[in-house]
Amino acid sequence: MSISPAQLRDLASRADALRAEARALYASLPAESPERAHLQAAHQATDWLQRAGEDLQRAAEDLARFRALQECGFPWGVCPEHGNTLSFMVNVTTCRVCGRTWDNDRRSQKCREPVTWKVTDPVGTETLMCNGHVLGARAATNGATFTRLDVAQQ
Ligand SMILES: [Zn+2]
Ligand SMILES: [Zn+2]
């Protein structure tokens, strides 16, 4: 179970909607109404709601940015676009599909690509992984659920 930036953005927009409603309510009172003086707290609440909306929005962006920095962490590397398609020869790793190269044995190094997918297996175990590793997981896993994470674009 994890919070998504989208949930926070949703809360932020509800705070905005509440603010607009509270403001409209206050504005609907006639200027000369003696009740006006007794509704100052409600008027101030619109400012608090605005701040709450802004804070929730900021938390959503912070979380999205943090998610974008999380590393996949699988103990072997893959091509970020094509997955398990690497060959290693004479100190160079090459993707057999796109021809991209790396100056080391990428297959023996921990994957440092950003996490972009959550894979949930049938018993509910969640694994976060990058675009490249999700390709292999899609091919290998029966009955898993694949969820694209809501992460900030780099
Ligand atoms: Zn490739
Ligand atoms: Zn990976």
Side-chain angles (χ1 to χ4, degrees):
M1 185 58 208
S2 61
I3 298 176
S4 77
Q7 284 174 295
L8 291 166
R9 282 189 206 107
D10 182 52
L11 282 179
S13 75
R14 278 150 69 190
D16 273 349
L18 267 182
R19 176 183 55 86
E21 260 185 75
R23 187 162 286 171
L25 205 61
Y26 185 79
S28 70
L29 270 185
E32 67 281 6
S33 167
E35 291 178 355
R36 208 166 240 276
H38 300 281
L39 290 167
Q40 281 306 313
H43 186 55
Q44 272 165 24
T46 62
D47 290 338
W48 289 110
L49 285 163
Q50 174 158 10
R51 258 192 70 185
E54 288 166 2
D55 284 355
L56 286 162
Q57 187 67 38
R58 189 174 326 124
E61 300 324 316
D62 281 353
L63 184 60
R65 225 171 294 126
F66 168 71
R67 290 264 170 89
L69 294 174
Q70 266 184 299
E71 289 177 356
C72 172
F74 265 61
W76 68 93
V78 291
C79 172
E81 276 178 77
H82 303 103
N84 206 8
T85 51
L86 302 181
S87 301
F88 179 67
M89 251 195 327
V90 212
N91 294 327
V92 177
T93 304
T94 308
C95 171
R96 290 189 297 271
V97 179
C98 63
R100 186 172 163 187
T101 58
W102 293 267
D103 293 335
N104 49 39
D105 187 358
R106 187 172 168 85
R107 298 167 311 167
S108 69
Q109 296 186 332
K110 193 170 94 168
C111 181
R112 300 199 175 281
E113 297 296 322
V115 155
T116 46
W117 289 88
K118 180 176 78 179
V119 180
T120 312
D121 75 12
V123 293
T125 308
E126 294 180 349
T127 312
L128 298 176
M129 59 184 82
C130 69
N131 284 337
H133 273 107
V134 86
L135 294 172
R138 277 191 195 282
T141 321
N142 286 322
T145 310
F146 294 83
T147 314
R148 179 110 175 110
L149 293 175
D150 181 10
V151 296
Q153 297 304 307
Q154 315 225 31

